[in-house]
Amino acid sequence: MTTERETLDTAPGTATTGTATDAPLDVPALAAQPVAYWTWAATEALLAHIRGAMAREDVTQQQWWTLNHVDGAENGLTRDEVCERLEPYLNGVTPGAMGHAVDGLLHRGWLVAGDDGRLTLTGTGRDAKARIKKLVTRLRAEIHEGITDEEYAAALTVLQRMISNVGGTATPR
């Protein structure tokens, strides 16, 4: 009997490291593989790549999200609004991480709180956001390398259907 791990390691069209090769697809073998493993492995690899690149720029993913949401709100956001909007996306990050992200951005002078508690970006914050946006754009290109928009859209459509099939919900960001 072949174990799940052996199937993952020896599936046609994959190298022992799990990376795709130019070999023809063995659809039945690939279709028998566990999607939960592959979605987990993709999540782990992508988050490590993204968070590592951001760490080299001395910013966290939560700080990036905060800059975007605060800047995108017409009158800024309060600390509670930032946390309420973004905490659901933390998945595995410690509770309170969004509050820490806000604190870090206030300490750096990238955000400022008005008398009403509403946070807005400072000039330095806008400069940092523009710099990080270039990084995020580069990371997206790296992640999407060799993948057409049609393939990407098809992959998301399949994942959304699987989520729906098991009664889950996911809201596009």
Short mmCIF file of all heavy atoms in Angstrom, two decimals, residues 140 144 149-163:
data_model
loop_
_atom_site.label_atom_id
_atom_site.label_comp_id
_atom_site.label_asym_id
_atom_site.label_seq_id
_atom_site.Cartn_x
_atom_site.Cartn_y
_atom_site.Cartn_z
N ARG A 140 4.54 39.77 -6.15
CA ARG A 140 3.43 39.21 -6.93
C ARG A 140 3.95 38.68 -8.26
O ARG A 140 3.57 37.60 -8.70
CB ARG A 140 2.36 40.27 -7.18
CG ARG A 140 1.13 39.70 -7.84
CD ARG A 140 0.04 40.77 -8.03
NE ARG A 140 -1.24 40.19 -8.32
CZ ARG A 140 -1.59 39.63 -9.47
NH1 ARG A 140 -0.72 39.54 -10.45
NH2 ARG A 140 -2.78 39.13 -9.66
N HIS A 144 3.72 34.80 -9.46
CA HIS A 144 2.92 34.50 -10.66
C HIS A 144 3.77 34.12 -11.87
O HIS A 144 3.22 33.87 -12.95
CB HIS A 144 2.04 35.71 -11.01
CG HIS A 144 0.91 35.90 -10.06
ND1 HIS A 144 -0.40 35.86 -10.45
CD2 HIS A 144 0.88 36.11 -8.72
CE1 HIS A 144 -1.18 36.05 -9.40
NE2 HIS A 144 -0.42 36.20 -8.34
N ASP A 149 -2.83 34.61 -16.47
CA ASP A 149 -3.99 35.11 -15.72
C ASP A 149 -5.12 34.10 -15.75
O ASP A 149 -5.85 33.93 -14.77
CB ASP A 149 -4.46 36.45 -16.30
CG ASP A 149 -3.53 37.60 -15.96
OD1 ASP A 149 -2.63 37.44 -15.09
OD2 ASP A 149 -3.70 38.68 -16.57
N GLU A 150 -5.28 33.41 -16.87
CA GLU A 150 -6.33 32.40 -17.00
C GLU A 150 -6.09 31.23 -16.04
O GLU A 150 -7.02 30.74 -15.40
CB GLU A 150 -6.43 31.89 -18.44
CG GLU A 150 -6.95 32.92 -19.44
CD GLU A 150 -5.92 33.98 -19.85
OE1 GLU A 150 -4.69 33.80 -19.60
OE2 GLU A 150 -6.34 35.01 -20.40
N GLU A 151 -4.84 30.78 -15.94
CA GLU A 151 -4.52 29.69 -15.01
C GLU A 151 -4.75 30.12 -13.57
O GLU A 151 -5.29 29.36 -12.76
CB GLU A 151 -3.06 29.24 -15.19
CG GLU A 151 -2.78 28.52 -16.48
CD GLU A 151 -1.30 28.33 -16.73
OE1 GLU A 151 -0.49 29.24 -16.41
OE2 GLU A 151 -0.93 27.26 -17.25
N TYR A 152 -4.35 31.33 -13.27
CA TYR A 152 -4.53 31.85 -11.91
C TYR A 152 -6.02 31.95 -11.58
O TYR A 152 -6.46 31.51 -10.51
CB TYR A 152 -3.85 33.22 -11.79
CG TYR A 152 -3.92 33.82 -10.41
CD1 TYR A 152 -3.12 33.33 -9.39
CD2 TYR A 152 -4.78 34.88 -10.13
CE1 TYR A 152 -3.17 33.87 -8.11
CE2 TYR A 152 -4.84 35.42 -8.87
CZ TYR A 152 -4.04 34.92 -7.86
OH TYR A 152 -4.10 35.46 -6.61
N ALA A 153 -6.80 32.50 -12.50
CA ALA A 153 -8.24 32.63 -12.28
C ALA A 153 -8.89 31.25 -12.13
O ALA A 153 -9.77 31.06 -11.28
CB ALA A 153 -8.89 33.41 -13.43
N ALA A 154 -8.46 30.28 -12.93
CA ALA A 154 -9.00 28.92 -12.84
C ALA A 154 -8.67 28.31 -11.48
O ALA A 154 -9.54 27.67 -10.86
CB ALA A 154 -8.46 28.05 -13.97
N ALA A 155 -7.45 28.51 -11.00
CA ALA A 155 -7.06 27.96 -9.70
C ALA A 155 -7.92 28.56 -8.59
O ALA A 155 -8.40 27.84 -7.71
CB ALA A 155 -5.58 28.22 -9.44
N LEU A 156 -8.12 29.87 -8.63
CA LEU A 156 -8.95 30.51 -7.60
C LEU A 156 -10.40 30.05 -7.68
O LEU A 156 -11.04 29.82 -6.65
CB LEU A 156 -8.88 32.03 -7.73
CG LEU A 156 -7.53 32.67 -7.41
CD1 LEU A 156 -7.65 34.20 -7.46
CD2 LEU A 156 -6.98 32.23 -6.08
N THR A 157 -10.90 29.88 -8.89
CA THR A 157 -12.27 29.41 -9.07
C THR A 157 -12.45 28.02 -8.47
O THR A 157 -13.44 27.75 -7.78
CB THR A 157 -12.65 29.41 -10.57
OG1 THR A 157 -12.53 30.76 -11.06
CG2 THR A 157 -14.05 28.90 -10.80
N VAL A 158 -11.49 27.14 -8.71
CA VAL A 158 -11.55 25.78 -8.16
C VAL A 158 -11.50 25.84 -6.63
O VAL A 158 -12.29 25.18 -5.94
CB VAL A 158 -10.43 24.90 -8.73
CG1 VAL A 158 -10.30 23.59 -7.95
CG2 VAL A 158 -10.67 24.63 -10.21
N LEU A 159 -10.59 26.63 -6.08
CA LEU A 159 -10.50 26.74 -4.62
C LEU A 159 -11.79 27.30 -4.02
O LEU A 159 -12.27 26.82 -2.99
CB LEU A 159 -9.30 27.60 -4.22
CG LEU A 159 -7.94 26.96 -4.48
CD1 LEU A 159 -6.82 27.97 -4.25
CD2 LEU A 159 -7.73 25.72 -3.63
N GLN A 160 -12.36 28.32 -4.66
CA GLN A 160 -13.62 28.89 -4.17
C GLN A 160 -14.74 27.85 -4.20
O GLN A 160 -15.54 27.77 -3.27
CB GLN A 160 -14.00 30.12 -5.00
CG GLN A 160 -13.08 31.29 -4.76
CD GLN A 160 -13.27 32.42 -5.77
OE1 GLN A 160 -13.97 32.29 -6.76
NE2 GLN A 160 -12.59 33.53 -5.52
N ARG A 161 -14.77 27.04 -5.25
CA ARG A 161 -15.79 26.01 -5.35
C ARG A 161 -15.60 24.96 -4.24
O ARG A 161 -16.56 24.53 -3.62
CB ARG A 161 -15.75 25.33 -6.72
CG ARG A 161 -16.96 24.44 -6.96
CD ARG A 161 -17.03 23.89 -8.38
NE ARG A 161 -16.78 24.91 -9.37
CZ ARG A 161 -15.91 24.76 -10.39
NH1 ARG A 161 -15.24 23.64 -10.56
NH2 ARG A 161 -15.73 25.73 -11.26
N MET A 162 -14.36 24.58 -3.97
CA MET A 162 -14.09 23.61 -2.90
C MET A 162 -14.51 24.17 -1.55
O MET A 162 -15.09 23.44 -0.73
CB MET A 162 -12.60 23.23 -2.88
CG MET A 162 -12.19 22.36 -4.02
SD MET A 162 -10.42 22.01 -3.86
CE MET A 162 -10.23 20.89 -5.23
N ILE A 163 -14.22 25.42 -1.30
CA ILE A 163 -14.63 26.06 -0.05
C ILE A 163 -16.14 26.01 0.08
O ILE A 163 -16.69 25.63 1.12
CB ILE A 163 -14.11 27.51 0.02
CG1 ILE A 163 -12.58 27.52 0.14
CG2 ILE A 163 -14.76 28.28 1.17
CD1 ILE A 163 -11.94 28.87 -0.14
#
